[in-house]
């Protein structure tokens, strides 16, 4: 081994080394003469009697035993000293320190110039032996020593492990001491890649041999260090023992396995937030595998082929009868699926930490944490949870002062939260099992001074509005406006509103819960009808008719139509561009059936119009019998033929599906008409209705992007299909979606600035998609 270019070894000690005086060559120092004084050498603590320098027979100096060679007191042991010792290749053992050989202590080879590629103590120049013994006497600790001296000592450790131990099982008790010394040398000289490679491989051999003497699986898994290769032998051994015994792999060992698995490269959330990742991994592992999964052993066995650094030893193959399971395909697939799921769930938190490196532990950080990790957060999250629990108690939903809720968010203004803050708060509340209305994520306004409604939610509660929920919430706004025109909303009216929408639009249980809370909030805060005219002008005539019919149904729900309700209906009909004269006929049709209705009605009376005498509300409405068909079997009003002998109502599922699709699509387009912002001026080219409806017969399954209507949500998702668009390609895309190119980009970027603080669409000529802002919008 050469010096590796480490010039100047022990330069700082040259002044203290004895110098040759007078002419002539330096005389060597023979064994038994005093060693030169060395300022940094320490007197070793005697552990038992010192081992005398051997004169003929070579001996192994055990760990911790001091010895003296040529006057150099060498502490620590772990070396061969003596006259004769043959290497496995038949030559002299290179690591053997022969105390009878000449030493030139007057001119030590501090630079290692006398070292060859495979140094041997017997063939070293006398000056190199002096430097080597000096390094040994100092405790093998000087970091700038030529690496050849370190290898010369290391050869002795290799021989003890690979040559002596296989012939004497009792020597295995020395393994811990030898392993500790290799690790110590690795910590000092590991910067040298050659030594690091040999030392690391020898440690694997030591661990492999030691596995037969102890159960490594009972200890702790290896530390997760950035250098993931080679796979720690400790991990291979423990997993092999788990597999051989049929023991489930504990979560901590599975975590280490996933980290060192060569095919699974750790993504940013693992490295940016390792503590959160470890906690979530352990929880998800327990949920999926309970006490851990069992590994079926394969045919491969754990073995190490070690090519020695010493020229006296060729190579050695160490093999244990333990299965090598680290890279088995089945377990690797399970770990990969779990790690990917945990990584994905921590991705939002990781990106938030990337933008706010000092924000760990804040409410804003907790808002993007998975719910399972909130119990790791103390202080603010606990205070918010306690506040919500105290107000909800056993109630389904409760009205609170929104200002009290906003106060928990220290960065928010006292009167109103920004859209991004409102999103974060709603996310955090959802993670502690609480919902809030209004919720900006589902098309509501941002929280501001006034009333808000809290309610209990479940883990499957939606975070974005489905088309069906958007339909229900939008129509609910208009319905509440009519029902509240007489000053109150009766319980019967509320029940009718929600029951009708839930049944008609097939809402899920969480959506029904939210709709109830949304209705409560509307009833408390009221509905603003200002600024609707310009928005309603964008609707088609058939869409306006649909809304008008629904409002009539709601108004007639309690059987009594007051003048105030008729006045409010008249106002909304005018807003919709419908003929107010149709109201009376349609109201009459609702409560008496189609046979008694007429297209027009007389002017309103001075007092209330009583359509049915007061009394208990009927349990339901009896459907009138269908008129007989001209030929064959009777038919239903929906055009479906009733089979002979059948009774009751037979519904046409195709008609129902088409009606639901129409309602969801229309209401999705209406989702922005109750916003607080000023209504845009009508622009026929940007009318959502101008785009032909897709003839699917099914409502779209894509959720709206918070802050965007259905058309612009679809446009954004289309843009996300590729990272860059030419200006011409984008204009074609905008035309297909029925929007004005420039106006659509402005709207999308405005929403992105509120949600992410960055535009999602950038560039002048070509359009470039900002991936970070896109992920914040489309989750």
């Amino acid at each position: 081994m050469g010096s590796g270019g480490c010039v100047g070894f022990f330069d700082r000690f040259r002044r203290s080394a004895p110098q040759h005086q007078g002419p002539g060559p330096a005389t060597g120092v023979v064994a038994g003469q005093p060693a030169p004084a060395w300022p940094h050498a320490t007197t070793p603590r005697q552990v038992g009697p010192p081992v005398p320098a051997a004169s003929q027979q070579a001996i192994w100096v055990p760990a911790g035993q001091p010895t003296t060679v040529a006057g150099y007191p060498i502490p620590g042991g772990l070396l061969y000293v003596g006259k004769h010792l043959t290497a496995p290749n038949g030559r002299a053992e290179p690591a053997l320190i022969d105390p009878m050989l000449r030493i030139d202590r007057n001119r030590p080879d501090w630079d290692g110039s006398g070292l060859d590629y495979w140094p041997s103590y017997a063939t070293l120049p006398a000056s190199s032996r002096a430097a080597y013994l000096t390094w040994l006497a100092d405790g093998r600790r000087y970091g700038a020593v030529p690496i050849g001296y370190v290898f010369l000592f290391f050869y002795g450790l290799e021989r003890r492990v690979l040559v002596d131990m296989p012939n004497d099982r009792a020597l295995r008790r020395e393994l811990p001491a030898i392993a500790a010394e290799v690790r110590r040398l690795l910590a000092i000289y590991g910067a040298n890649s050659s030594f690091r490679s040999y030392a690391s491989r020898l440690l694997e051999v030591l661990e492999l041999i030691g596995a037969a003497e102890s159960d490594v699986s009972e200890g702790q898994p290896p530390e997760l260090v950035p250098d993931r290769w080679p796979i720690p032998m400790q991990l291979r051994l423990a997993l092999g023992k788990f597999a051989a015994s049929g023991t489930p792999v504990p979560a901590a060992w599975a975590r280490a396995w996933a980290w060192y698995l060569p095919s699974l490269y750790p993504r940013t959330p693992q490295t940016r937030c390792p503590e959160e990742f470890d906690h979530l991994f352990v929880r998800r592992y327990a949920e999926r595998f309970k006490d851990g999964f069992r590994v079926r052993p394969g045919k491969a066995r754990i073995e190490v082929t070690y090519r020695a650094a010493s020229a006296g030893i060729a190579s050695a193959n160490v093999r244990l009868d333990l299965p090598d399971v680290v890279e088995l395909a089945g377990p690797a697939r399970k770990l990969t699926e779990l790690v990917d799921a945990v990584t994905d769930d921590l991705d939002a938190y990781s990106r938030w930490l990337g933008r706010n490196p000092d924000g760990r532990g804040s409410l804003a950080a907790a808002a993007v944490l998975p719910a399972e990790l909130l119990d790791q957060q103390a202080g603010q999250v606990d205070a918010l949870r306690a506040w919500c629990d105290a107000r909800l108690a056993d109630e389904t939903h409760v009205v609170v002062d929104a200002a009290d809720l906003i106060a928990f968010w220290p960065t928010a203004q006292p009167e109103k939260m920004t859209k991004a803050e409102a999103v974060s708060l709603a996310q955090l509340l959802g993670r502690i099992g609480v919902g809030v209305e209004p919720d900006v994520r589902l098309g509501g306004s941002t929280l501001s001074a006034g009333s808000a409604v809290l309610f209990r939610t479940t883990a499957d509660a939606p975070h974005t509005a489905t088309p069906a929920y958007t339909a229900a919430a939008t129509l609910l706004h208009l319905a509440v406006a009519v029902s509240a025109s007489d000053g109150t909303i009766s319980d019967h009216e509320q029940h009718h509103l929600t029951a009708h929408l839930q049944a008609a639009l097939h809402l899920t249980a969480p959506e029904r819960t939210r709709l109830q809370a949304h209705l409560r909030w509307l009833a408390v805060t009221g509905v603003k009808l200002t600024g609707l005219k310009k928005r309603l002008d964008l609707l088609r005539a058939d869409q306006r008719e649909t809304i008008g019919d629904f409002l009539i149904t709601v108004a007639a729900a309690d059987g009594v139509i007051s003048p105030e309700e008729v006045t409010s209906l008249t106002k909304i009909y005018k807003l919709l561009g419908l003929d107010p004269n149709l109201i009376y006929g349609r109201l009459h049709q609702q409560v008496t059936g189609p046979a008694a209705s007429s297209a027009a009605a007389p002017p309103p009376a001075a007092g209330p119009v009583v359509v049915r005498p007061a009394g208990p509300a009927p349990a339901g409405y009896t459907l009138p019998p269908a008129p007989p068909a001209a030929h064959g079997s009777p038919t239903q009003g929906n055009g479906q033929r009733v089979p002979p002998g059948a009774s009751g109502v037979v519904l046409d599922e195709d008609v129902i599906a088409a009606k639901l699709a129409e309602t969801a699509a229309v209401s999705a387009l209406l989702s922005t008409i109750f916003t607080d912002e000023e209504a845009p001026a009508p622009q026929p080219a940007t009318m959502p209705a101008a785009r032909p409806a897709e003839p699917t017969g099914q409502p779209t399954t894509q959720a709206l992007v918070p802050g965007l209507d259905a058309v612009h949500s679809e446009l954004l998702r289309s843009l996300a299909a590729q990272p860059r668009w030419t200006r011409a390609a984008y204009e074609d895309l905008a035309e297909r979606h029925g929007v004005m190119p420039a106006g659509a980009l402005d709207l999308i970027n405005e929403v992105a600035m509120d949600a992410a603080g960055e535009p999602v669409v950038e560039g002048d000529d070509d359009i470039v998609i900002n991936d970070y802002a896109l992920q914040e919008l489309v989750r």
Side-chain angles (χ1 to χ4, degrees):
M1 298 288 174
S3 64
C6 297
V7 180
F9 169 50
F10 291 169
D11 276 351
R12 59 194 176 110
F13 302 131
R14 287 179 188 268
R15 295 188 300 273
S16 301
Q19 302 295 319
H20 173 65
Q21 302 293 330
T27 57
V29 179
V30 297
Q33 291 183 343
W38 191 14
H40 285 263
T42 57
T43 302
R45 182 173 63 88
Q46 299 291 328
V47 183
V51 177
S55 58
Q56 298 294 328
Q57 187 174 2
I59 63 169
W60 167 258
V61 182
Q65 288 283 15
T67 189
T68 301
V69 176
Y72 290 88
I74 300 175
L78 297 177
L79 42 79
Y80 292 94
V81 179
K83 184 68 175 172
H84 299 292
L85 188 63
T86 303
N89 65 356
R91 299 179 181 180
E93 170 57 48
L96 176 66
I97 299 175
D98 185 346
M100 305 304 296
L101 295 177
R102 180 174 175 271
I103 298 170
D104 186 354
R105 71 178 65 210
N106 291 326
R107 293 185 298 185
D109 180 16
W110 307 121
D111 297 335
S113 58
L115 296 169
D116 58 21
Y117 190 79
W118 275 294
S120 172
Y121 186 84
T123 60
L124 286 179
S127 59
S128 298
R129 293 191 195 112
Y132 177 56
L133 292 177
T134 302
W135 175 70
L136 293 176
D138 189 47
R140 308 184 287 266
R141 61 182 180 173
Y142 183 62
V145 65
I147 201 66
Y149 292 128
V150 182
F151 267 109
L152 186 57
F153 171 75
F154 184 74
Y155 294 165
L157 302 181
E158 287 184 324
R159 178 191 174 94
R160 191 63 171 174
V161 173
L162 302 176
V163 179
D164 294 352
M165 284 187 182
N167 299 320
D168 188 350
R169 188 180 181 87
L171 298 183
R172 293 187 179 183
R173 63 177 179 270
E174 299 179 5
L175 285 173
I178 295 176
E181 178 65 9
V182 174
R183 291 191 183 94
R184 189 186 71 85
L185 293 174
L186 196 55
I188 301 173
Y189 307 107
N192 182 279
S193 60
S194 179
F195 180 75
R196 181 172 68 252
S197 175
Y198 281 107
S200 299
R201 294 291 285 173
L202 184 61
L203 281 176
E204 289 185 349
V205 172
L206 292 169
E207 289 180 304
L208 198 57
I209 298 173
E213 308 297 322
S214 62
D215 189 355
V216 294
S217 63
E218 295 180 353
Q220 295 298 314
E223 182 182 357
L224 309 186
V225 297
D227 188 0
R228 301 168 52 246
W229 185 260
I231 301 170
M233 181 57 63
Q234 177 191 1
L235 179 62
R236 286 190 180 275
L237 293 170
L239 295 176
K241 293 206 170 188
F242 289 136
S245 63
T247 304
V249 179
W253 284 97
R255 174 70 187 99
W257 189 357
W259 176 259
Y260 287 104
L261 188 63
S263 61
L264 185 56
Y265 191 81
R267 288 152 54 193
T268 302
Q270 283 201 59
T271 55
R272 181 177 286 159
C273 38
E275 293 181 8
E276 293 85 354
F277 189 95
D278 289 349
H279 282 300
L280 190 57
F281 179 93
V282 170
R283 289 201 174 201
R284 297 282 175 83
Y285 185 81
E287 292 171 2
R288 184 172 299 191
F289 304 113
K290 305 304 179 186
D291 296 328
F293 67 84
R294 289 178 170 83
V295 181
R296 179 179 298 178
K299 294 182 179 180
R301 289 297 180 263
I302 299 176
E303 63 179 336
V304 172
T305 299
Y306 181 80
R307 300 188 183 279
S310 171
I313 306 171
S315 64
N317 188 66
V318 183
R319 185 175 187 270
L320 285 185
D321 189 21
L322 275 179
D324 192 354
V325 301
V326 171
E327 298 184 66
L328 287 179
R333 183 174 59 253
K334 292 180 180 180
L335 289 172
T336 299
E337 291 173 355
L338 180 58
V339 167
D340 285 347
V342 173
T343 301
D344 291 343
D345 287 348
L346 277 175
D347 186 60
Y349 177 72
S350 173
R351 286 187 282 111
W352 189 91
L353 281 184
R355 302 192 306 273
N356 307 275
D358 298 326
R360 184 179 262 104
S362 65
L363 281 180
V368 288
L369 269 178
E372 300 99 312
L373 298 184
L374 285 182
D375 57 1
Q376 304 293 326
Q377 307 291 314
Q380 298 181 67
V381 175
D382 285 343
L384 179 61
R385 181 188 285 112
W387 185 85
C388 293
D389 289 344
R391 277 143 189 83
L392 275 168
D394 298 327
E395 297 291 331
T396 304
H397 42 70
V398 64
V399 178
V400 299
D401 188 347
D404 294 340
L405 195 54
I406 295 173
F408 278 94
W409 214 264
T411 60
Q413 296 296 325
E415 296 298 320
K416 185 176 183 179
M417 304 186 85
T418 66
K419 185 173 292 186
E421 290 169 340
V423 168
S424 294
L425 178 57
Q427 288 175 336
L428 178 55
L429 289 172
R431 284 168 170 77
I432 61 176
V434 177
V436 64
E437 277 295 328
D439 190 332
V440 69
R441 300 175 303 167
L442 285 86
S445 59
T446 56
L447 277 177
S448 58
S451 297
V453 174
L454 298 181
F455 58 98
R456 297 289 185 188
T457 63
T458 55
D460 59 345
H463 301 154
T464 56
T466 63
Y469 181 81
T470 300
T474 304
L475 296 177
L476 199 60
H477 276 73
L478 284 172
V480 167
V482 177
S483 298
S485 61
D486 57 3
T488 60
I489 303 178
S490 69
D491 291 341
H492 182 69
E493 286 176 311
Q494 291 191 35
H495 174 75
H496 174 82
L497 284 172
T498 54
H500 176 86
L501 294 171
Q502 291 168 6
L505 296 174
H506 300 285
L507 299 183
T508 64
E511 287 176 325
R512 294 173 185 172
T513 301
R514 178 172 286 280
L515 194 66
Q516 291 279 0
H518 188 63
L519 175 60
R520 179 77 180 275
W521 179 72
L522 290 174
V524 172
T525 60
V527 177
K528 297 178 181 179
L529 294 180
T530 58
L532 291 180
K533 186 65 172 67
K534 293 180 180 179
R535 294 182 177 90
L536 293 174
D537 284 343
L538 301 178
L539 302 179
R540 298 193 307 263
D542 61 320
Q543 294 171 339
R544 299 172 195 164
E545 287 282 351
T546 300
I547 297 171
D549 289 344
F550 176 76
L551 294 174
I552 293 290
T553 302
V554 173
D558 57 3
V560 178
I561 310 299
S562 69
E564 290 81 6
E565 287 179 295
V566 173
T567 300
S568 183
L569 280 171
T570 301
K571 178 180 179 182
I572 295 177
Y573 260 56
K574 289 180 179 180
L575 286 173
L576 291 170
L578 301 176
D579 185 1
N581 291 324
L582 299 175
I583 293 174
Y584 288 95
R586 292 177 178 179
L587 285 172
H588 188 67
Q589 183 179 4
Q590 287 290 324
V591 295
T592 63
S597 64
S598 60
V609 178
V610 179
V611 205
R612 179 183 297 146
Y621 297 98
T622 303
L623 293 176
H631 301 283
S633 301
T635 58
Q636 292 294 332
N638 56 23
Q640 178 169 321
R641 186 174 302 278
V642 180
S647 61
V649 179
V650 179
L651 300 179
D652 188 331
E653 294 297 335
D654 292 337
V655 174
I656 293 173
K659 188 65 176 177
L660 290 178
E662 179 186 354
T663 304
V666 170
S667 297
L669 296 177
L670 285 173
S671 61
T672 59
I673 70 172
F674 285 98
T675 57
D676 294 333
E677 292 80 5
E678 187 64 27
Q683 298 179 16
T686 65
M687 288 177 61
R691 188 166 61 94
E694 298 290 341
T696 61
Q698 296 289 339
T700 177
T701 57
Q702 288 279 26
L704 298 181
V705 174
L708 296 177
D709 59 18
V711 175
H712 289 89
S713 296
E714 292 177 12
L715 174 63
L716 179 59
R717 288 191 171 91
S718 297
L719 285 170
Q722 59 190 58
R724 181 182 292 271
W725 295 78
T726 64
R727 179 63 60 172
Y730 165 67
E731 290 176 352
D732 290 342
L733 182 67
E735 182 178 355
R736 291 199 301 272
H737 283 269
V739 298
M740 295 289 288
L745 290 186
D746 290 343
L747 176 59
I748 291 174
N749 278 338
E750 180 182 349
V751 172
M753 291 297 296
D754 287 339
E758 299 179 11
V760 72
V761 181
E762 301 172 315
D764 296 326
D765 296 329
D766 286 354
I767 291 176
V768 180
I769 305 301
N770 180 337
D771 185 62
Y772 160 68
L774 178 66
Q775 292 184 50
E776 289 293 306
L777 288 177
V778 184
R779 294 173 183 249

